Amino acid sequence: MSINIAIDGPSGAGKSTIAKMLAKKMEYVYVDTGALYRSVALYMLRNNVDINNDRAVGEELPKVDVRLTYNNGTQQVILCGENVSDSIRTPEVSMGASRVSAIPAVRQFLFDLQRNIAKENNIIMDGRDIGTVVLPNADVKIFLTASAEERASRRFRELSEKGDPSTYEEVLADINKRDYNDTHRDVAPLKKADDAAEVDTTSLTLEQSVEAIYKVINDRLSQKESVPAEEKPKEKSSLALKRESLDFSNVKPVTNPKPYSKIRAFGYLILRVFVTFCFKIAFNLKVYGKENVPKTGSNIFASCHRSNLDPIFIAINARVPNSYMAKDELFHCNKFFVWLIKYMGAFPVVRGSGDGGVISTSIQKLEEGRNLVIFPEGTRSKDGKLGRGKTGVALIAALAQVPVIPAAISFKGEKLKFRSKVIVTYGKPISPEELKIEGSDTRSLKKIKSVIMDGIAELVNENVNKL
Ligand code: DC
């Protein structure tokens, strides 16, 4: 089996220079993962893709053909057939890489590539999330740091030698900005793995840094050799690793939500009375289980999905505004419409960009005192039968630890018609204790999901008898 050494740390800590020297000394393959993020940024910049638009970047990713090759042991980066090893080193690309690396779809896109290289070779891989996400089972993990000023002077010297006109102040400002971006992003932020050895190179020369890290590597590898095989941790599945690449370590349960503003709640009451009135005219609406709807906010409503009006059917009985996920496309329509859906609590889900941002936004909405409406099936059921639920609802419930209220919306036929009989039923709130939240691993999430889906199924069956 190959040996994997992970080196993480902020920009300019000397990771690549040190890792290259160590790889040579140890005859390992050196993998600079920053170059991959830089190549994605270069592609987007060259093709005039707005790197601040996650969706636009996500849509272009399938066209990005990036590969690493080795020439006399030196890594070469090939982007769509062109060797871009030098072109990716400009300050503009550095800043672009820092931006695109915060996009979940970009991280997932590069994930398998990095893992596959590590599977086949003895490697020293450097980056930001190698020890925490890409290779959580790496044999040795190093977290390399140095003060921002020291890193800026090193980078400044490097750039000046290449004839780059940037001043020291500009380089320092750049380093500080990239540090901020890299440590504050939602997905896989830069942080030290719990089992990484930290090495601060502020006052060390290059040779001293290499020696210090070489010693750590040797110590750790010889310690590992003396551990019996059965005590060594098992390789995690690629699926589990992908889920872990969404870092939820800073997502806390919703314990102290803000009470919803009384003034806004009053405005919402008026809107609710008006919408209920309109809906009662448009449909033959029957609501059951109103007593199960809590008077305060910060609950999850998990409902079956039958029509585009479902968020409103669920909302008209809640005293506190709800929030719900909506297709990103809806947020690029007419300004008034966008204002209205945002006021009604909708927030965008960008297709193909992973779940990280959506989960954090969902939790944030619960913390703001709103309820969160989730349709676990994802798509509408045409015949009223309950489809399979997705795991997202369980993950949010496990992380937020708030009550989940199952709900069912039922009507006959495929589409809602004027004066259709519509039945909305709310079930008893399922407390976090009843959900038996054990963790956010696949098995625990499946169990949570089935408790929620069983709750909805029961209500769907009850409704069928009343239609
Ligand atoms: O190491 P570098 O400066 O070449 O990295 C360029 C950018 O890519 C940096 O701002 C952070 C990002 N990056 C990342 O997010 N994860 C990695 N594994 C490597 C780099």
Side-chain angles (χ1 to χ4, degrees), residues 177-197:
K177 178 143 194 272
R178 287 173 62 198
D179 281 359
Y180 184 88
N181 288 351
D182 296 347
T183 49
H184 284 77
R185 63 182 177 223
D186 282 344
V187 272
L190 167 67
K191 69 169 190 228
K192 177 177 166 290
D194 292 338
D195 49 350

Side-chain angles (χ1 to χ4, degrees), residues 151-454:
R151 287 184 283 129
S153 6
R154 290 178 192 165
R155 187 68 24 122
F156 172 65
R157 255 178 274 136
E158 225 175 83
L159 288 171
S160 305
E161 277 164 22
K162 285 189 196 155
D164 188 289
S166 312
T167 63
Y168 167 78
E169 285 69 27
E170 284 166 350
V171 177
L172 179 61
D174 242 45
I175 292 249
N176 282 329
K177 178 143 194 272
R178 287 173 62 198
D179 281 359
Y180 184 88
N181 288 351
D182 296 347
T183 49
H184 284 77
R185 63 182 177 223
D186 282 344
V187 272
L190 167 67
K191 69 169 190 228
K192 177 177 166 290
D194 292 338
D195 49 350
E198 183 161 345
V199 179
D200 186 333
T201 66
T202 308
S203 53
L204 300 183
T205 63
L206 182 59
E207 288 68 29
Q208 286 169 332
S209 307
V210 173
E211 269 323 298
I213 296 170
Y214 187 60
K215 185 170 176 325
V216 174
I217 293 177
N218 276 335
D219 288 353
R220 293 228 166 170
L221 284 180
S222 45
Q223 266 170 28
K224 260 193 108 103
E225 265 162 25
S226 57
V227 176
E230 62 272 20
E231 283 180 29
K232 290 186 184 164
K234 268 200 204 147
E235 277 281 311
K236 292 188 182 171
S237 73
S238 159
L239 198 69
L241 285 163
K242 272 201 176 145
R243 186 159 36 73
E244 281 170 21
S245 74
L246 303 170
D247 184 352
F248 297 117
S249 56
N250 44 18
V251 178
K252 304 271 180 309
V254 177
T255 44
N256 200 9
K258 282 191 218 146
Y260 198 77
S261 143
K262 285 205 171 123
I263 299 172
R264 297 194 75 181
F266 182 68
Y268 182 67
L269 173 70
I270 294 173
L271 184 69
R272 193 159 62 95
V273 169
F274 175 70
V275 174
T276 310
F277 175 75
C278 298
F279 267 50
K280 286 214 162 149
I281 293 175
F283 308 108
N284 174 8
L285 181 64
K286 296 270 177 301
V287 180
Y288 296 91
K290 267 193 207 170
E291 68 283 3
N292 294 326
V293 177
K295 295 193 171 61
T296 52
S298 303
N299 306 286
I300 296 173
F301 286 98
S303 172
C304 65
H305 196 6
R306 296 268 5 243
S307 78
N308 282 337
L309 295 180
D310 290 354
I312 305 177
F313 282 125
I314 297 294
I316 50 183
N317 292 293
R319 299 187 190 190
V320 165
N322 294 334
S323 246
Y324 52 93
M325 305 165 195
K327 281 183 279 193
D328 185 54
E329 289 90 299
L330 295 178
F331 293 79
H332 301 279
C333 301
N334 161 300
K335 274 194 186 152
F336 173 71
F337 177 75
V338 174
W339 173 83
L340 187 69
I341 58 171
K342 279 193 181 162
Y343 184 79
M344 299 297 291
F347 59 91
V349 184
V350 181
R351 242 187 244 140
S353 74
D355 302 332
V358 176
I359 305 271
S360 318
T361 313
S362 303
I363 309 264
Q364 189 193 325
K365 297 289 175 191
L366 289 164
E367 255 156 16
E368 286 168 8
R370 284 177 177 262
N371 294 311
L372 181 72
V373 184
I374 302 181
F375 301 100
E377 298 154 281
T379 48
R380 280 185 284 147
S381 156
K382 288 186 181 151
D383 55 7
K385 285 192 191 129
L386 187 64
R388 272 170 67 92
K390 299 209 169 113
T391 321
V393 65
L395 183 54
I396 298 176
L399 293 168
Q401 304 194 15
V402 297
V404 178
I405 297 133
I409 302 161
S410 308
F411 52 83
K412 278 191 180 151
E414 190 184 325
K415 288 202 173 122
L416 259 181
K417 296 198 184 95
F418 183 65
R419 296 305 297 160
S420 289
K421 182 172 185 184
V422 181
I423 300 184
V424 180
T425 308
Y426 300 94
K428 287 214 159 47
I430 310 171
S431 67
E433 292 73 34
E434 286 166 304
L435 283 178
K436 299 200 175 63
I437 300 165
E438 287 161 9
S440 57
D441 56 288
T442 313
R443 248 193 52 207
S444 312
L445 292 183
K446 272 195 180 154
K447 279 200 222 157
I448 300 172
K449 184 179 78 177
S450 67
V451 175
I452 297 172
M453 294 310 286
D454 288 352

Side-chain angles (χ1 to χ4, degrees), residues 33-34 37-38 97-98 101 107 127-130 178 182 185:
T33 60
Y37 290 91
R38 286 169 180 271
S98 179
S101 65
R107 303 206 75 83
R128 304 295 186 286
D129 60 340
I130 309 303
R178 287 173 62 198
D182 296 347
R185 63 182 177 223

Side-chain angles (χ1 to χ4, degrees), residues 71-109:
N71 186 0
N72 287 333
T74 309
Q75 178 183 287
Q76 307 291 318
V77 194
I78 311 296
L79 175 64
C80 301
E82 177 191 342
N83 190 332
V84 292
S85 310
D86 292 328
S87 333
I88 56 170
R89 300 287 157 199
T90 66
E92 193 197 3
V93 174
S94 301
M95 204 46 88
S98 179
R99 169 67 199 106
V100 298
S101 65
I103 302 175
V106 172
R107 303 206 75 83
Q108 291 202 358
F109 176 72

